[in-house]
Amino acid sequence: MDDAATAEESVRVWLVERTYGDDEQNMIILTYAAPDGRREFRKERALTSFTGDHRETPVSMVVDPDDLGSVDDDRRERYVTEVERMREKHAPMDSL
């Protein structure tokens, strides 16, 4: 497969959720979703300190479709709404 085909297959996902990890208190899970709300990408980030972690978080990312997981029906509509909100407020390369 050539690079052009790979680029065409990439999917832009948008930040829809930030949660703390269940097992570790210093872990944040960033959830990004495709615009249709059917697929998600999760990224774990360790907090560098408890007084604040000031690293920027990208509002969207381009990922390989093989790295996406399926989304349960009960979360799809919420993810679609959140993607739309993020797209209205931010450019794809923005960070929070």
Side-chain angles (χ1 to χ4, degrees), residues 19-88:
T19 56
Y20 288 98
D22 292 335
D23 298 337
E24 298 182 42
Q25 292 180 341
N26 66 337
M27 187 70 64
I28 291 181
I29 301 168
L30 303 171
T31 302
Y32 291 81
D36 64 5
R38 296 181 181 275
R39 297 172 293 168
E40 69 182 1
F41 175 77
R42 290 182 177 227
K43 183 176 181 178
E44 294 182 355
R45 176 187 283 178
L47 291 172
T48 56
S49 74
F50 289 105
T51 58
D53 188 344
H54 300 290
R55 290 180 288 171
E56 293 188 351
T57 300
V59 298
S60 75
M61 302 172 68
V62 176
V63 298
D64 187 301
D66 292 338
D67 293 335
L68 297 171
S70 297
V71 174
D72 297 334
D73 289 338
D74 61 328
R75 292 183 294 153
R76 284 184 188 155
E77 187 174 325
R78 182 169 52 92
Y79 282 4
V80 168
T81 300
E82 189 61 22
V83 167
E84 289 173 0
R85 187 180 76 81
M86 293 297 278
R87 290 172 80 175
E88 288 174 4

